[in-house]
Amino acid sequence: MNKHKLLALLREVAAGRMDVDRAAEALRHLPYEEVGIARLDHHRALRKGFPEVIFCEGKTPSQAAQIFFSLMQAGEPVLATRADHDIYRAVRRVVPRARYHARARCITLGRLATAGGGPVLILSAGTADLPVAEEAEISTRIMGHGVTSVHDVGVAGLHRLLAHHKLLETCRVVIAVAGMEGALPSVVAGLTPCLVIAVPTSVGYGAGYRGLAALLTMLNSCAPVIGVVNIDNGYGAAALAAAIIRSGEEN
Amino acid sequence: MNKHKLLALLREVAAGRMDVDRAAEALRHLPYEEVGIARLDHHRALRKGFPEVIFCEGKTPSQAAQIFFSLMQAGEPVLATRADHDIYRAVRRVVPRARYHARARCITLGRLATAGGGPVLILSAGTADLPVAEEAEISTRIMGHGVTSVHDVGVAGLHRLLAHHKLLETCRVVIAVAGMEGALPSVVAGLTPCLVIAVPTSVGYGAGYRGLAALLTMLNSCAPVIGVVNIDNGYGAAALAAAIIRSGEEN
Amino acid sequence: MNKHKLLALLREVAAGRMDVDRAAEALRHLPYEEVGIARLDHHRALRKGFPEVIFCEGKTPSQAAQIFFSLMQAGEPVLATRADHDIYRAVRRVVPRARYHARARCITLGRLATAGGGPVLILSAGTADLPVAEEAEISTRIMGHGVTSVHDVGVAGLHRLLAHHKLLETCRVVIAVAGMEGALPSVVAGLTPCLVIAVPTSVGYGAGYRGLAALLTMLNSCAPVIGVVNIDNGYGAAALAAAIIRSGEEN
Amino acid sequence: MNKHKLLALLREVAAGRMDVDRAAEALRHLPYEEVGIARLDHHRALRKGFPEVIFCEGKTPSQAAQIFFSLMQAGEPVLATRADHDIYRAVRRVVPRARYHARARCITLGRLATAGGGPVLILSAGTADLPVAEEAEISTRIMGHGVTSVHDVGVAGLHRLLAHHKLLETCRVVIAVAGMEGALPSVVAGLTPCLVIAVPTSVGYGAGYRGLAALLTMLNSCAPVIGVVNIDNGYGAAALAAAIIRSGEEN
Amino acid sequence: MNKHKLLALLREVAAGRMDVDRAAEALRHLPYEEVGIARLDHHRALRKGFPEVIFCEGKTPSQAAQIFFSLMQAGEPVLATRADHDIYRAVRRVVPRARYHARARCITLGRLATAGGGPVLILSAGTADLPVAEEAEISTRIMGHGVTSVHDVGVAGLHRLLAHHKLLETCRVVIAVAGMEGALPSVVAGLTPCLVIAVPTSVGYGAGYRGLAALLTMLNSCAPVIGVVNIDNGYGAAALAAAIIRSGEEN
Amino acid sequence: MNKHKLLALLREVAAGRMDVDRAAEALRHLPYEEVGIARLDHHRALRKGFPEVIFCEGKTPSQAAQIFFSLMQAGEPVLATRADHDIYRAVRRVVPRARYHARARCITLGRLATAGGGPVLILSAGTADLPVAEEAEISTRIMGHGVTSVHDVGVAGLHRLLAHHKLLETCRVVIAVAGMEGALPSVVAGLTPCLVIAVPTSVGYGAGYRGLAALLTMLNSCAPVIGVVNIDNGYGAAALAAAIIRSGEEN
Amino acid sequence: MNKHKLLALLREVAAGRMDVDRAAEALRHLPYEEVGIARLDHHRALRKGFPEVIFCEGKTPSQAAQIFFSLMQAGEPVLATRADHDIYRAVRRVVPRARYHARARCITLGRLATAGGGPVLILSAGTADLPVAEEAEISTRIMGHGVTSVHDVGVAGLHRLLAHHKLLETCRVVIAVAGMEGALPSVVAGLTPCLVIAVPTSVGYGAGYRGLAALLTMLNSCAPVIGVVNIDNGYGAAALAAAIIRSGEEN
Amino acid sequence: MNKHKLLALLREVAAGRMDVDRAAEALRHLPYEEVGIARLDHHRALRKGFPEVIFCEGKTPSQAAQIFFSLMQAGEPVLATRADHDIYRAVRRVVPRARYHARARCITLGRLATAGGGPVLILSAGTADLPVAEEAEISTRIMGHGVTSVHDVGVAGLHRLLAHHKLLETCRVVIAVAGMEGALPSVVAGLTPCLVIAVPTSVGYGAGYRGLAALLTMLNSCAPVIGVVNIDNGYGAAALAAAIIRSGEEN
């Protein structure tokens, strides 16, 4: 479409139906997204494999459902995060095939990559970190990447983690999810050669300050290959993991 | 060596010179690093391409020089970060070939990958962010990856960044270094399909709180493919970028 | 009234019915607002175009309704902010002509200036910032200034903003409303010659710290023509914008 | 120049020397600043009256002097802020006409508007706030706007401020500079109809937290027409004041 | 009672029925409150005029009622603060004469000193500060000191305060209650010779941080005769005011 | 079992049925917990006297009940903390003998050591600190150590504490639980030779910041023998006390 | 003078030389300080017994000396706080009789009330709190009130404080100065009937956060008669104490 | 002496030379420290084995030397912490036998228990944590307890720690010293049955916030037997460890 507009204009010039000055003026005022940046945006849609995600927090069920429906029309897959049951019910009414992942609080439309294998290993420190870990898992799988999840491997029971050392050696990216003191990513990065994406969670109490303690721990890790995302941001970790995998595939 | 010990013990058992119970006991007490974890560590040395880095802050010149010398004996390349001139002078005395990068405050030994090309694009927002950006550059190059650096492209002069859109489309990883309000990584991630590693710097004054404002901005970015490292941690960003590139090469 | 009192006293002196010393004493004890400061206050009412605004948070519906009624008697227009449905119901009972703007949580009495034109451009970064953006819009319009609002132009979709560059060139004041990382005002101020009033919102999660991240971003902007107001303070931004416009009209 | 390039290309098309498809492709890759955004930037230079300012903190004397010299070549006026004596000496060597304002820590080149009159009133709370107030004054004057400065009118001596009520009524913008508890802007905005730009300073001790107390006070003011800038940001306040005045002149 | 025990013991010694060493040993182990410190405590009851106050927050209605009943038995007056309706209902059941002050959330038993006169002047900045101001008022009156309260005299409407300058000159202690930016105590202390007790309230929003902004303002006041109490601590301010008045009466 | 596996493998080697190299390889890949660390873990179960505790916050009743049941099968005693009535009801359905301690919000299975004697003295500052103090008491008793609890001995009524000086001299560990200003542990450590474990509680309001004030007080105590645990962490204090006692018994 | 102007004007009216309207207008514009508020200020000078104090921090020696000289001309006593030796040398040059109190960092001119008796008792917790305690002592004495100082009575050595119980019973105001955990004011207020002014100091390390821990402790004290001043604000405490004593003397 | 006074008084009563009432009165006024609390203090000296420690920070060399000399006269051992070379020189002049431990910044007088064995194991995470770890070591040894120190065993090189598992099983108390992310105590407590005293250090940069990150990590550890002390408080950890060991010896 953009290109069509541009070509049409240039054809007018080529045909002598529009003089050069008027064309220059028109080009100067072409909305930017029609020349270049939208192309980048288009590239993003193509390369990132995922056009947009619905963050449901602070949206009404009907708003969320309406956006879900629009994105569905633009093509599968569709992902909504931070969705409660009310939002799911509203989505299901307009998109009956939509699927709800209650613990991950995600709604998906489209095929999920397999769980129990693949380039991404998701580790979570405690049971209470599960919702964030599962948001990361569902998000990774809807983006097309297989995931293995190992839960309850916090540093207070490190040997459980060590028992999975094979996984640590064969995966490409580890997403380490931890609240409380948030030491899991440091320890994983110290023990393995894997790339680690650290997700602090708001799990804890008292001086955990809803994830601040875990966040600071992760930012200050003395193990160097850790990238940190926002507190409870399971989806962000998945998007980063997917981008890392894609970046390798493209080269 | 480890393996030798283990084989020796097993040969004793095979030869009947050591009974099974004593062997079991001995094996239970084998230092862990001799069986498995050290192997992982060895893997890390092999795959990460960089055994250890000297963080000079809080070390005396002679301590830093001594560690530099030991690492040199283990083989090139060697990297020391946060090194002032005094430390460099001490290092040069024992390792005359060591090279000092004053603005980056780094000392290197070994070949640097080319600047002005390669998979890593380093962007910095302002002149004052240069030391951190250059620490990232030197660190990336000593790890063997080519780097293109573009400086002074903060969001107050966004069009300078947009002029480099080709770079944004062809690199594999962007390291975006910014102090003050720290908005550069968000804007880059919004405009391009690149993976972004965000490095907040302590540049700024007043309510910048020595990098806190930039750090929070980066963690809260609404653009999803951003991994954040500690304030002023140029080396950490480089190590993460290198790990991302390697992770692609291995698969 | 004040003036009357003062004139009466002076007439007594002029008529010789009160001696000079007693008059001096009486004048020394005249309540201050009756001599000078109330005049300033009166000036404010005249020049600011808006005598007082009801901040409903923490008021009971009947308290809010009662104040609304009193202000109505002092003359239109009347504005109440942070008003929920219960407060509106109570106000409507005593001022049936009052009008409720649900998403902006405002109650107004009096004519609103047009939306879709005028000297004020309101930009908001995401859907969740709408309530604050609309409080700013309604507040600006009840103060008599036309407003154009453009929503969902956060830095993750900057090209949408760039498509509106004409608006950025022709408006007099931009109110930029953003939560999460709050980078919108910086970017706007970097791209356009407009004056920018920055409103951080409490939208976000985790390390957004209910608007703190956005607030710090805005205060630390490297683009210089930004004035910041309190988190979620849409009304304050509108009042500041109105004062800027009036300040030009008076000179 | 940009326009020339564009016209040349279009003429090629008009002349049939370049076909439409190749032209479309070339246009897609024209650096953005050459079509639209640079124009905006050009506008900014024209309208803001001040192309760029040198923030000297974190720059070496020679770096600062070099930038000062370049800006001088682009035309007067030139302003450098946060400049110490060493920086001034370096600047003076290359630009002998440059003038140093020691207390304001500013270096200027070009005519200053008058002090002691004009649309901007600068108030400061205490003697220790003077450097920031004077940075604001010099910055405003080099941008071409007259300034009246009244110092030492903090809320502990409010009557001194009240004695200047005429100024409060006739100026167009007040810049209120205060450290410690930072109450001055609130009080000014409560007493006068003026627009107030609030500048917190890092003056104080103990629980003043280097300007945080003053900053929070200003953001939370119950008087509505206050725009806040970063701690100690005298220049930012001046730039905002200048933009407000210009915005009136243009309409 | 304590004294009885002590006298009994000494009489045993005097009568030769207990030898000196055993008596010395017994005296060494007499619980401390029976010899000296309880006396201090008794003094406190006598001089402070108020034995103990029930802070109801976090207590069940029956717990609060039970403590109220016990204190009543020790003699009037009795004061309970932070009491909701449920707690009042429980108290009324066991102490029917108890009186509820809904807005102050206080329950009292005993005569209140007059409102509308007396040595204590309570000023509050806004309507939302009323509950804290009234807790201070009821607390002061139950301690036997007359109070004049003037509300809604925040710094945005300073002339209303100035109209009451007579009160400021004749009272002995001012309790200044303010949320938002909390500038009232500074301004009062700057204008009057009164002793000021500053009570920050949690009234406000956004960067008010539930009273922190007001608290810091008050601690950093450049006016010197201000003592600050905890956020929302109306009772504490009253107790301090009462102690100041008593301290004068005793000398 | 682990040992069995290991012995089996070694017997294969001894019997010549497996060659040395294959055995070495197999041993290198034995999960770690089967060789050494699990043994440590087993030691912990033996020595710490308490295998694992259920932190119920953030768990559903059925999850909590299921874990309680599993732990019961591993043997008594069992402890669940932060359990509300719903969780207790769910637990009771599957473990009818489980006992609920409502104020301590704990569920226990197994014999409790006596209250009113023993090596641990629990002091709490105010009534509102009781839930945390009782969590510490129940936790200590289920771990087999006798406890004496003295409540309401905050520093505002220090003489009540001094009356119990005998207890302070004879106990082995004091657990001091305090919210508000949290000064109790400092004072206790200043008066007695006891080891003090300090537990800040979230009791308080305003600038107590949900336990932060108490936490900082305890960390900064000038009395040296104080170990601090997280805010409201009664169980953690008990576990630390129990470890201290056990550490003495083992030597 | 003010009065003269006013009388002159009224005489003009009485003589018929000025009509009533012009007089009313003139009166409306009389500078405020000439009618009422300056009188309040004058009252303050009379009643507070101390016109102004020089806070030397951030002033050059010559600035400080100049202000000292001016205040001396207005009459003794004169007080300068936070003065280092350089400032003293500059002051001594112009006011040779000025006296330096090195540890208190104060310069005084005029008679000091006796140390070792009087209505104010200053307690300090540790040796490092001495400078603040002595600033409070010198300030109190120059204001005319006798002081007894007892140092090194922190809560880690509470019995030393208790040995002075007589002082606690006979003084009128206690100024309690403490850094580290800052528990001294709480404990004093719990043991005695005295009014306590709490001064947190920046003494301590680590999580003391330069006085924040002590400040929070003091604000959250459960003992009610404590007024808190800013960190290290010895002078403020003295001014408050003096105001309390004067408030009693006047009634 | 105390006892003598008391016996003398009782003898007067027994002899009939003092009547019972006067004796009771006299007893009520006996300084507290002479009856009971001083005895406790005496106990502390006896049982804690260490009367007092000199914290040199903020003391002049001569002050420190003077206190050192006094304590020496009360008997060995003597310990001074945070002592620089100047302080040591001053101490050595008056106490020539005093010994300086430069890296630990401690001065000791008296026999040190052996290093390389004993009940206390000190672990430190990185080279930069050494000064704090060595302050802990020297402090423990001067209190009479043997210490084994293992340095550089941070979680980034966990296998080095695991190699020392024998030490972890045989020591009685671990002091774990760590800056940066501070994860070491968590990991140690997860792997071993030892009691852990956690010492956060101010080592690190950026978002480490001078030990805050490490402190929060340690307080939020999910491993339960950890007691935390203030940032950089090596001595405090040693005192706590010594108290734990003594507490076992006494029972």
Side-chain angles (χ1 to χ4, degrees), chain A:
Chain A
M1 187 167 70
N2 301 348
K3 198 153 190 178
H4 291 173
K5 260 195 198 175
L6 181 61
L7 287 171
L9 188 148
L10 289 169
R11 277 192 205 103
E12 294 293 296
V13 176
R17 281 194 296 270
M18 180 183 275
D19 69 22
V20 160
D21 283 331
R22 266 186 55 219
E25 190 61 18
L27 283 167
R28 267 182 20 129
H29 288 294
L30 261 183
Y32 301 103
E33 82 275 25
E34 300 186 2
V35 209
I37 295 166
R39 181 179 48 94
L40 292 181
D41 197 41
H42 186 60
H43 275 203
R44 191 197 310 151
L46 288 179
R47 286 175 66 187
K48 297 203 173 175
F50 224 84
E52 208 170 331
V53 163
I54 311 161
F55 183 79
C56 295
E57 224 165 271
K59 295 201 173 64
T60 63
S62 72
Q63 285 177 319
Q66 186 178 333
I67 303 175
F68 200 100
F69 187 82
S70 313
L71 290 180
M72 180 201 69
Q73 288 183 312
E76 297 185 8
V78 181
L79 171 63
T81 62
R82 308 276 173 115
D84 59 23
H85 276 90
D86 286 350
I87 283 179
Y88 173 53
R89 271 189 292 272
V91 167
R92 195 179 43 184
R93 228 169 289 129
V94 295
V95 186
R97 282 179 311 119
R99 186 170 154 202
Y100 190 49
H101 308 264
R103 209 157 45 178
R105 290 173 303 159
C106 291
I107 309 172
T108 56
L109 184 71
R111 215 175 64 81
L112 297 175
T114 61
V120 179
L121 173 62
I122 297 177
L123 304 174
S124 69
T127 312
D129 300 313
L130 270 178
V132 176
E134 300 206 347
E135 180 184 305
E137 180 186 323
I138 296 298
S139 300
T140 309
R141 289 168 63 201
I142 192 97
M143 289 175 196
H145 305 289
V147 173
T148 307
S149 290
V150 181
H151 299 302
D152 223 5
V153 289
V155 296
L158 202 57
H159 53 286
R160 281 178 288 199
L161 171 60
L162 296 177
H164 294 281
H165 69 99
K166 275 274 168 69
L167 287 170
L168 288 171
E169 287 172 52
T170 55
C171 71
R172 283 191 52 202
V173 185
V174 176
I175 295 174
V177 179
M180 307 285 287
E181 83 268 58
L184 182 62
S186 278
V187 171
V188 169
L191 288 174
T192 84
C194 296
L195 246 170
V196 179
I197 300 171
V199 190
T201 72
S202 54
V203 167
Y205 62 94
Y209 293 115
R210 303 204 59 70
L212 177 62
L215 172 62
L216 292 181
T217 300
M218 293 170 183
L219 286 167
N220 288 287
S221 176
C222 42
V225 292
I226 297 181
V228 184
V229 299
N230 197 358
I231 297 164
D232 290 336
N233 190 4
Y235 162 69
L240 191 52
I244 289 169
I245 292 168
R246 274 195 319 271
S247 97
E249 283 159 4
E250 283 157 13
N251 290 54

Side-chain angles (χ1 to χ4, degrees), chain E residues 37 39-40 43-44 47-48 162 165 169 172 189-193 195 215 219-220 224-230 235-236 239-240 243-244 247-248 251, chain G residues 37 39-40 43-44 47-48 165 169 172 189-195 215 219-220 224-230 235-236 239-240 243-244 247-248 251:
Chain E
I37 295 166
R39 181 177 49 92
L40 292 181
H43 275 202
R44 192 198 310 152
R47 287 175 66 185
K48 297 203 172 174
L162 296 176
H165 68 99
E169 286 173 51
R172 283 190 53 201
L191 288 175
T192 83
L195 246 173
L215 171 62
L219 286 168
N220 287 287
V225 291
I226 297 181
V228 184
V229 298
N230 198 357
Y235 162 69
L240 190 53
I244 289 168
S247 98
N251 289 54
Chain G
I37 294 165
R39 182 177 47 94
L40 291 182
H43 275 202
R44 190 197 312 150
R47 289 175 65 186
K48 297 203 173 177
H165 69 99
E169 286 172 53
R172 280 190 55 200
L191 288 175
T192 85
C194 295
L195 247 171
L215 172 61
L219 286 167
N220 287 287
V225 292
I226 297 179
V228 183
V229 300
N230 198 358
Y235 162 68
L240 190 53
I244 289 169
S247 99
N251 290 56

Side-chain angles (χ1 to χ4, degrees), chain C residues 39-40 44 47-48 165 169 172 190-193 195 215 219-220 224-225 227-228 230 236 239-240 244 247-248 251, chain D residues 39-40 43-44 47-48 169 172 190-193 195 215 219-220 225 227-228 230 236 239-240 244 247-248 251:
Chain C
R39 181 178 48 95
L40 292 182
R44 191 196 311 150
R47 287 175 66 185
K48 297 204 172 174
H165 67 98
E169 287 173 52
R172 284 191 51 203
L191 288 175
T192 84
L195 245 171
L215 172 62
L219 286 167
N220 288 287
V225 291
V228 184
N230 198 358
L240 190 52
I244 289 169
S247 98
N251 290 53
Chain D
R39 182 176 47 93
L40 292 182
H43 276 202
R44 191 197 311 151
R47 288 175 66 186
K48 297 203 173 176
E169 287 173 51
R172 281 190 55 200
L191 287 175
T192 84
L195 247 171
L215 171 62
L219 286 168
N220 288 286
V225 292
V228 184
N230 197 358
L240 190 53
I244 289 169
S247 98
N251 289 55

Side-chain angles (χ1 to χ4, degrees), chain E residues 88-110:
Chain E
Y88 173 53
R89 270 190 291 273
V91 167
R92 197 177 44 185
R93 229 169 287 130
V94 294
V95 185
R97 282 181 309 119
R99 188 171 152 201
Y100 190 49
H101 308 265
R103 210 159 41 179
R105 290 173 304 159
C106 291
I107 308 172
T108 57
L109 184 72

Side-chain angles (χ1 to χ4, degrees), chain D residues 8-225:
Chain D
L9 187 149
L10 289 169
R11 277 191 206 105
E12 295 293 295
V13 174
R17 282 195 295 273
M18 179 183 277
D19 70 22
V20 162
D21 283 331
R22 266 186 56 219
E25 189 61 20
L27 284 167
R28 268 182 19 131
H29 288 295
L30 263 181
Y32 301 102
E33 82 277 23
E34 301 188 0
V35 210
I37 295 166
R39 182 176 47 93
L40 292 182
D41 198 41
H42 186 60
H43 276 202
R44 191 197 311 151
L46 288 179
R47 288 175 66 186
K48 297 203 173 176
F50 223 86
E52 209 169 333
V53 163
I54 310 160
F55 183 81
C56 296
E57 221 165 274
K59 296 203 171 63
T60 63
S62 72
Q63 284 176 322
Q66 184 178 336
I67 303 176
F68 200 99
F69 186 81
S70 313
L71 289 179
M72 181 202 68
Q73 289 184 311
E76 297 186 6
V78 181
L79 171 64
T81 62
R82 310 278 173 114
D84 58 23
H85 277 89
D86 287 350
I87 283 179
Y88 172 53
R89 272 189 290 272
V91 166
R92 198 178 41 186
R93 229 169 289 129
V94 294
V95 186
R97 284 181 306 119
R99 186 172 154 202
Y100 191 48
H101 309 265
R103 207 157 47 177
R105 290 173 304 158
C106 290
I107 309 171
T108 56
L109 184 72
R111 214 177 63 82
L112 296 176
T114 61
V120 179
L121 173 62
I122 296 178
L123 304 174
S124 69
T127 311
D129 301 313
L130 270 178
V132 176
E134 301 205 347
E135 179 184 304
E137 182 187 320
I138 296 299
S139 300
T140 309
R141 289 170 62 202
I142 192 95
M143 290 175 195
H145 305 288
V147 174
T148 307
S149 290
V150 181
H151 298 303
D152 222 4
V153 289
V155 296
L158 203 56
H159 54 285
R160 283 179 285 199
L161 171 61
L162 295 176
H164 294 283
H165 68 101
K166 274 275 168 67
L167 287 170
L168 288 173
E169 287 173 51
T170 55
C171 71
R172 281 190 55 200
V173 185
V174 178
I175 294 174
V177 179
M180 307 283 288
E181 83 268 59
L184 182 63
S186 278
V187 170
V188 170
L191 287 175
T192 84
C194 296
L195 247 171
V196 179
I197 299 172
V199 191
T201 72
S202 53
V203 167
Y205 62 94
Y209 293 115
R210 304 204 57 69
L212 177 62
L215 171 62
L216 292 183
T217 300
M218 293 169 183
L219 286 168
N220 288 286
S221 175
C222 42
V225 292

Side-chain angles (χ1 to χ4, degrees), chain H residues 21-236:
Chain H
D21 284 330
R22 267 186 52 220
E25 190 60 20
L27 283 167
R28 269 185 14 134
H29 289 294
L30 262 181
Y32 303 104
E33 81 278 23
E34 299 188 1
V35 209
I37 296 166
R39 181 178 48 93
L40 292 181
D41 198 43
H42 186 60
H43 276 202
R44 191 196 312 151
L46 288 179
R47 288 175 64 186
K48 296 203 173 176
F50 224 85
E52 211 170 330
V53 163
I54 311 161
F55 183 80
C56 295
E57 222 166 274
K59 296 203 172 62
T60 63
S62 72
Q63 285 177 319
Q66 185 177 335
I67 303 176
F68 201 99
F69 187 82
S70 313
L71 289 180
M72 178 202 67
Q73 289 184 311
E76 296 186 6
V78 181
L79 171 64
T81 62
R82 310 277 172 114
D84 58 23
H85 277 90
D86 286 349
I87 283 180
Y88 172 53
R89 272 189 292 272
V91 167
R92 196 177 42 183
R93 228 168 290 128
V94 295
V95 185
R97 284 182 307 120
R99 186 172 154 201
Y100 190 49
H101 309 266
R103 206 156 46 178
R105 290 172 302 158
C106 290
I107 309 171
T108 56
L109 184 72
R111 215 177 63 82
L112 297 176
T114 61
V120 179
L121 173 62
I122 296 179
L123 303 174
S124 69
T127 312
D129 301 313
L130 270 179
V132 176
E134 300 205 348
E135 179 185 305
E137 181 185 322
I138 296 298
S139 300
T140 308
R141 289 168 63 202
I142 191 93
M143 289 175 197
H145 305 289
V147 174
T148 306
S149 290
V150 181
H151 298 304
D152 223 4
V153 288
V155 296
L158 203 56
H159 53 285
R160 283 179 286 199
L161 172 60
L162 296 176
H164 294 282
H165 69 99
K166 274 274 167 69
L167 286 170
L168 288 172
E169 286 172 53
T170 55
C171 72
R172 280 191 55 203
V173 184
V174 177
I175 294 175
V177 179
M180 307 284 287
E181 83 267 61
L184 182 63
S186 278
V187 170
V188 169
L191 287 175
T192 83
C194 295
L195 246 172
V196 179
I197 299 172
V199 191
T201 72
S202 53
V203 168
Y205 62 93
Y209 293 114
R210 303 204 58 69
L212 177 62
L215 171 62
L216 292 183
T217 299
M218 292 169 184
L219 286 168
N220 287 287
S221 174
C222 41
V225 291
I226 298 179
V228 184
V229 300
N230 198 357
I231 296 164
D232 290 335
N233 191 4
Y235 162 69

